[in-house]
Amino acid sequence: MKRFLALAVPPLLALTGCAAFTDESVGLDNGVQVAAAFYPLQYVADRVAGGHAEVENLTAPGGEPHDLELNPKETADVAQADLVVFQRGFQPAVDDAVDENAAGAVLDVTDVVDLVPFRDHGVDSDEDDPHFWQDPLLLADVGDAVAARLVKVDPDNADDYTANAADLRTDLEQLDRDYAAGLTDCQRDTVVVSHDAFGYLQKYGITMAAILGLSPDSEPTPADLAELQDLIKKDGITTVFSETLASPESADSLARDMGVDSLVLDPIEGLTDATADDDYLSLMRANLAALEEANGC
Ligand SMILES: [Zn+2]
């Protein structure tokens, strides 16, 4: 019996990892709790917190952040967090939970990042493109803003938060330079993707054509598909990209019909079982390699 108890009650300092906030934050050095709405925001919060805070992702791994619903535990995470990092307008359930329950600091990343209207990416919509994390420099700005909030929440570790955000910025600026260099001098500049998650990559001189439009769960019309088929022929496109969290069916069948390759481009909206060992940086680099190959860069 004694032996059982010794195993069942680990020392406080051994409590780490991404367990729920409830009762388990006692193992951290100061118990700072951050709720991040979806993976790229979690990545930034983790990098900036650097072990001084417990970061919860409100979008479970493998989940699609576009149609997120919050369960009671996740709503409690929002209520208990010292800092909530979210993107207003992207996940209505999170917006509601923040408005109704958040008691700590709140960072709405749309206050930091100027979202680009879809229209500026050539898409017929009045909405803003939420997928800003495809531009590493915009994500670096979010890192600085997370650091500024954490400095206020936990001034004892201010120097670490500021230094961690600077390290993150260094990595993201290098990634931005690698994208710019990698996508220069390509044989083609059009990329056919599954849903419209890659508009921010157009700063590197590529043009996106989306099969599904704005949301991964919409359906392409026959007219949309005919237009894409014309484009694939006209531009000599070699590859149709599907993505990790959405069904590859539309992309795969278009690729099959046109006799071109079908590859995966990850919008990095969340990690999956297949990408559990990856992170934002490694996935962005894998995307860059796939784009270079498809476009003959
Ligand atoms: Zn999306």
Side-chain angles (χ1 to χ4, degrees):
M1 189 61 193
K2 263 188 180 156
R3 185 180 162 79
F4 171 77
L5 280 178
L7 286 172
V9 185
L12 285 180
L13 287 175
L15 286 171
T16 55
C18 55
F21 290 154
T22 38
D23 298 330
E24 303 199 11
S25 57
V26 286
L28 290 157
D29 53 4
N30 52 16
V32 174
Q33 298 175 348
V34 179
F38 56 95
Y39 174 69
L41 304 185
Q42 179 205 3
Y43 174 76
V44 167
D46 270 332
R47 289 280 311 256
V48 174
H52 290 307
E54 185 179 0
V55 179
E56 276 289 307
N57 182 359
L58 298 175
T59 306
E64 195 0 275
H66 281 267
D67 41 25
L68 179 72
E69 299 290 337
L70 293 183
N71 64 30
K73 191 216 139 257
E74 291 153 350
T75 305
D77 286 344
V78 170
Q80 291 167 12
D82 299 294
L83 171 62
V84 181
V85 185
F86 78 116
Q87 181 172 346
R88 190 172 291 284
F90 182 45
Q91 299 169 292
V94 176
D95 296 355
D96 291 348
V98 168
D99 292 343
E100 287 161 25
N101 300 300
V106 163
L107 172 60
D108 172 3
V109 299
T110 67
D111 289 338
V112 179
V113 171
D114 277 333
L115 295 181
V116 175
F118 271 116
R119 198 168 295 288
D120 291 6
H121 297 155
V123 179
D124 185 19
S125 165
D126 291 326
E127 289 177 46
D128 289 333
D129 186 342
H131 308 94
F132 75 88
W133 55 91
Q134 295 291 331
D135 180 346
L137 297 186
L138 296 180
L139 202 58
D141 292 343
V142 171
D144 291 338
V146 168
R149 295 299 199 287
L150 286 176
V151 162
K152 281 195 187 140
V153 167
D154 177 26
D156 287 353
N157 291 307
D159 290 350
D160 284 356
Y161 296 135
T162 306
N164 291 343
D167 282 350
L168 175 62
R169 176 173 286 282
T170 300
D171 288 349
L172 293 173
E173 287 180 350
Q174 182 63 49
L175 181 66
D176 178 66
R177 282 193 294 273
D178 291 346
Y179 260 78
L183 296 176
T184 316
D185 294 331
C186 304
Q187 289 164 28
R188 290 165 293 280
D189 61 10
T190 303
V191 177
V192 177
V193 294
S194 184
H195 92 288
D196 238 311
F198 300 95
Y200 285 83
L201 295 181
Q202 296 189 182
K203 73 181 254 198
Y204 303 113
I206 50 180
T207 303
M208 297 293 169
I211 302 170
L212 299 181
L214 306 184
S215 170
D217 48 18
S218 59
E219 284 284 328
T221 65
D224 290 340
L225 282 176
E227 209 176 297
L228 282 168
Q229 289 175 347
D230 286 348
L231 180 73
I232 288 168
K233 268 188 235 152
K234 184 170 69 69
D235 287 15
I237 284 168
T238 62
T239 308
V240 170
F241 286 103
S242 62
E243 58 185 66
T244 29
L245 289 176
S247 151
E249 218 171 284
S250 306
D252 283 352
S253 68
L254 177 63
R256 226 177 10 249
D257 289 351
M258 300 303 293
V260 299
D261 292 335
S262 172
L263 286 179
V264 172
L265 203 59
D266 194 329
I268 319 183
E269 298 187 343
L271 300 182
T272 65
D273 285 348
T275 59
D277 293 334
D278 279 289
D279 66 12
Y280 170 83
L281 289 178
S282 67
L283 293 172
M284 284 292 285
R285 290 193 179 284
N287 282 351
L288 174 59
L291 290 167
E292 287 177 5
E293 162 133 32
N295 280 14
C297 307

